[in-house]
Amino acid sequence: MIIENSKIYDVTDVENIFFRPTFCGKSAEEFGVRVIYNMPMPTKCPVFRHNDKLLKGFSSGWQGGTSATMEEIEITMEKLKAESAYSADSYFSTIYELLLNSSEVNMGDLSGSDLEKAETELFRRSLAESVYATTWFGDVDGNLSDYTSFSGFIRKILDTKEDYGSQFPLELHYTKQENTVDEILRNAWKSASDDLRALASDGHLAFFVSSDIYDAYQFLLDDNGSANAYADTVNGRPALSYHGIPMLEIPSKKYSPKRAKSFCILTDRRNFVLALNTADSPEKEVRMWYNPDEMENRQRVVFLAGTAVVDKDIISGAIYEEGVTLI
């Protein structure tokens, strides 16, 4: 069976079907970082610094100043084009699997809308996966990874370390190191600035760690020897935390960066910003069609994306260029 009907989604469909379900609301929270969507171009991210010296002795007249100052950083947005192509046979087998997983589809009477939903879901998943991988490991120069459409958080952190050196409170190790996972996490907290530690009460701090450090921490908890540790070993843990601060795994093993093999980064979730825009690109559409010459089903979307690390002073931890041996 061949899916031949061409489908073009307009601006509203691109936003409501492909982007908002993945990058807004609860789905954005699962990204673990701050996601801003369709902000006016050029995209700017506000940074608020509050004045904690508001109280003054009483006297008549206005004694106050500016209670809060606002800074803005401009996020560099790259124009992107995501494309995929499948042979007709493999394409339909993939679509068919998605259809089988839906209890609402009558497999004896496949309508065009059922196929269209499955086709849309396939592309939406692929798009979300590609954006997530590039958000963390993207590097337009290709030195960090093979994701080159825009530069991600790790690339931005490495550039900041290069610019500020010892003034940037994050360690960068160029050769393979030996550490225990407990030492890595403890050092990230101990080296944190007072401003970063103070943010713990806001509930937005998180350890962003590579897969090897995440796994090592799991095994450390397994070896605890307590009844709770045994139960967690058997049943699994829905989430990890270190001293009450959530730990988020960034699947480095899956995306295989050329550098930054291991990392442990402590910061406020809001300090990492992913900006997306589907409103200000002239070719803002998603197109799906069948190419009879190549016998391929093809998909394309055009949009804008970029990342930013907002405040270099509220970050700590370490990046290991050649990885770390966990002892």
Side-chain angles (χ1 to χ4, degrees):
M1 181 174 181
I2 298 173
I3 303 175
E4 293 192 12
N5 294 331
S6 177
K7 176 64 180 177
I8 300 176
Y9 292 89
D10 62 22
V11 178
T12 303
D13 290 335
V14 170
E15 180 174 333
N16 293 333
I17 296 176
F18 290 91
F19 282 86
R20 284 199 174 277
T22 305
F23 302 111
C24 297
K26 183 174 177 57
S27 296
E29 292 176 9
E30 293 173 357
F31 255 61
V33 300
R34 182 179 175 186
V35 180
I36 56 177
Y37 182 63
N38 273 356
M39 291 281 283
M41 298 288 286
T43 302
K44 296 184 178 181
C45 180
V47 184
F48 291 95
R49 302 185 186 279
H50 296 281
N51 181 4
D52 59 0
K53 298 181 177 61
L54 295 178
L55 300 181
K56 301 178 184 298
F58 177 80
S59 66
S60 60
W62 171 254
Q63 292 178 274
T66 302
S67 61
T69 59
M70 189 184 77
E71 300 175 9
E72 288 185 325
I73 63 166
E74 186 170 320
I75 302 177
T76 301
M77 303 285 282
E78 302 289 346
K79 184 177 179 180
L80 310 177
K81 180 174 69 171
E83 296 178 322
S84 63
Y86 301 83
S87 69
D89 290 340
S90 62
Y91 185 76
F92 183 72
S93 65
T94 306
I95 295 293
Y96 195 78
E97 180 181 358
L98 289 174
L99 290 167
L100 284 174
N101 289 333
S102 174
S103 59
E104 300 177 357
V105 174
N106 179 3
M107 297 305 294
D109 181 22
L110 284 177
S111 67
S113 61
D114 291 331
L115 292 173
E116 184 178 305
K117 289 177 183 177
E119 181 183 34
T120 300
E121 177 63 16
L122 174 66
F123 194 35
R124 190 188 67 81
R125 290 183 187 180
S126 299
L127 178 62
E129 177 80 4
S130 182
V131 169
Y132 180 82
T134 312
T135 294
W136 280 99
F137 299 108
D139 181 6
V140 293
D141 295 325
N143 296 322
L144 175 63
S145 73
D146 293 328
Y147 300 97
T148 58
S149 55
F150 63 93
S151 290
F153 299 135
I154 299 296
R155 177 70 269 170
K156 297 290 178 70
I157 291 172
L158 292 174
D159 289 344
T160 304
K161 182 64 177 178
E162 183 177 330
D163 292 339
Y164 290 92
S166 60
Q167 295 179 351
F168 183 50
L170 182 139
E171 298 176 5
L172 178 59
H173 301 282
Y174 293 97
T175 58
K176 201 170 186 70
Q177 304 287 307
E178 287 190 358
N179 280 101
T180 66
V181 66
D182 191 49
E183 287 174 339
I184 291 173
L185 294 166
R186 187 185 297 117
N187 288 340
W189 177 255
K190 288 172 63 177
S191 62
S193 66
D194 291 340
D195 288 341
L196 178 55
R197 293 191 188 198
L199 291 171
S201 60
D202 287 355
H204 293 286
L205 284 191
F207 287 97
F208 297 91
V209 301
S210 53
S211 299
D212 56 340
I213 293 177
Y214 189 89
D215 291 342
Y217 187 58
Q218 286 260 44
F219 295 137
L220 177 67
L221 297 178
D222 291 345
D223 294 338
N224 183 274
S226 67
N228 287 337
Y230 175 79
D232 287 342
T233 303
V234 174
N235 301 320
R237 300 177 179 87
L240 298 185
S241 62
Y242 180 78
H243 290 184
I245 300 174
M247 182 181 297
L248 304 179
E249 179 189 8
I250 310 304
S252 54
K253 291 181 180 178
K254 180 177 182 180
Y255 302 127
S256 302
K258 300 173 184 177
R259 299 168 55 195
K261 301 293 187 181
S262 304
F263 53 86
C264 173
I265 302 169
L266 173 63
T267 191
D268 190 294
R269 294 171 185 255
R270 298 165 295 184
N271 198 27
F272 288 151
V273 178
L274 166 65
L276 297 163
N277 192 301
T278 58
D280 293 310
S281 175
E283 305 88 351
K284 43 187 178 288
E285 67 174 18
V286 173
R287 181 186 295 266
M288 301 180 185
W289 74 100
Y290 177 71
N291 184 302
D293 294 334
E294 301 295 333
M295 298 183 67
E296 286 181 339
N297 285 88
R298 295 179 174 180
Q299 303 164 321
R300 175 189 294 143
V301 62
V302 179
F303 62 102
L304 300 164
T307 62
V309 179
V310 177
D311 191 341
K312 67 177 180 60
D313 295 321
I314 56 168
I315 193 169
S316 70
I319 293 178
Y320 305 86
E321 291 275 56
E322 296 299 325
V324 58
T325 301
L326 294 160
I327 56 177

